[in-house]
Amino acid sequence: MANPLKCDLCAKPATVHLTQIVNSKIHKVDLCEACAQAKGVTDPSGFSLADLLLKASLNPEPAGVDTQCESCGFTQQDFKKTGRFGCPACYNHFGALLEPMLDSMHKGSTHTGKVPQRALARKSLYERLTQLETELDQAIKAERYEDAARFRDEISQVRSTSDRKAGAKHED
Amino acid sequence: MKINELIESHSELTDTAASKSAVVLMTRIRLARNLAAQPFPGWAKDAQKREIRDQCMQAVAALPQMKRGLAIPVETLDELQKQILVERHLISRELCHAKSGSGIVISKDQSCVVMVNEEDHLRIQVLRAGFQFKKVWATINQLDTDLEEHIDYAFSPKLGYLSACPTNLGTGIRASAMMHLPALVISSQMEKVVRAVNQLGMAVRGLFGEGSDASGSIFQISNQTTLGESEEGIIKHLHGVLTTIVDQELNAREKLLETDPNKLFDKIGRAFGILQNGYLLNSGEAMNLLSLIRLGIDLGIFPDAQRAVVDRLFIECQPGHVQHAAKGAFEPSQRDVLRGERLRAEFAKVVAPDFSHAAK
Ligand SMILES: [Zn+2]
Ligand SMILES: [Zn+2]
């Protein structure tokens, strides 16, 4: 035996070898005695393979260039330590790191479930309003008064739809 | 509502006289949600965390479903109060250890709970006694949609609801059932079941106690993956697995009755004897004895009405509840005395087992 397997979590010689099928994909995890104990692997009911796969897939990378989420200052090292992210924007920033993990962790890598329709509608309405206001400003500055009148109309239209929605909400 | 009122009032799980469910004690679904553009609780500064908590608790407490419920910061609860909430499956142990800036909102009937600043900003949870995924999903889906009216969730069209831990991405759903599987345990088939369930991508946990120490033969089975499948798909998949396990358990019961009824009746009869007469009972032993009584009820050995009492005792024999009932903090050995006292009183009222219905 040339290369004894190393523990996926701490790189000591591995003595516990697990094979599990999650969503018809085969996953292998090799652990040392101590990590197996710590993760509750010896007790088959107490461990979550998803959690384990997450930690294992994080470990092998050497500590190289560390990057930081612009929104919250979270680093790749922080993620490796905790297996958690710092803020929602981290998912954009660390997307490349995350992508290969998702497949082994989940059934797929694209969301197919519920969508927060109301919140998204609110957001797009807000964005539309901001955009129209900018266009209105520009039209006034450029003395394009016909355009400005049109933007003003549109703005009041968007505002009244959002008011109507808010009104309906209070009634029920 | 104040915390003490809530503890004194009957909860969904401690008052389930209507529950006829032989195997599935409880159905629970939770959703992980976070605010857009705010650091997750584990990374937020204390002041930020408190701000997030105030915003979330205000929005949640204003929901019609939470009317006249309890909304309280975690740090205002004492250790025993937190333990009682954990024993009722209302909050997680993790939330108990949260230093500051976390909160809890619980509905009046204790079936809806929102934990604020646990691992995620919002952990919405609905639980019901019995096997009721349709009802629980309808309730929590509505609760989530109502909350969305007031909170901008962190959401990505590709990755779904964004959570602190990538294992919860997508739907953020964890659906679970608490199952009573005494016959599978007695006939040593539980290990096989655990392995099969794990291979289907689901998790099995002993519910009381850590790891596989499933005192009372009670197990929690839940989905593990959250991304790439719809909520309905995940629930349907889990429901199918649970239905199979229910069948397995009922088959195992039949088998026990066929092959060695005396051995089974002996276990149940002795459990009754100890519960009626024992003086020192730790929570593990009490759970195991109560489990046998519950099996006896399912087999017609004790009256049906007794099931709700046993389900309540499963929770009220936990250390926090025992101390609360005795109004003080007690050492484990003193708790065993108190637990014995309570169970003797409770089982003095129960009529003696009648094995004639169960015997073939
Ligand atoms: Zn190791
Ligand atoms: Zn970030």
Side-chain angles (χ1 to χ4, degrees), chain B residues 274-295:
Chain B
I274 296 172
L275 287 166
Q276 259 194 343
N277 299 294
Y279 264 74
L280 297 173
L281 288 169
N282 65 37
S283 65
E285 185 182 10
M287 295 295 290
N288 288 331
L289 297 171
L290 288 167
S291 161
L292 286 164
I293 300 300
R294 200 180 199 277
L295 176 61

Side-chain angles (χ1 to χ4, degrees), chain B residues 302-316:
Chain B
F302 299 98
D304 235 21
Q306 209 55 38
R307 190 181 286 111
V309 177
V310 170
D311 286 357
R312 183 157 46 76
L313 289 172
F314 272 141
I315 288 172
E316 293 183 355

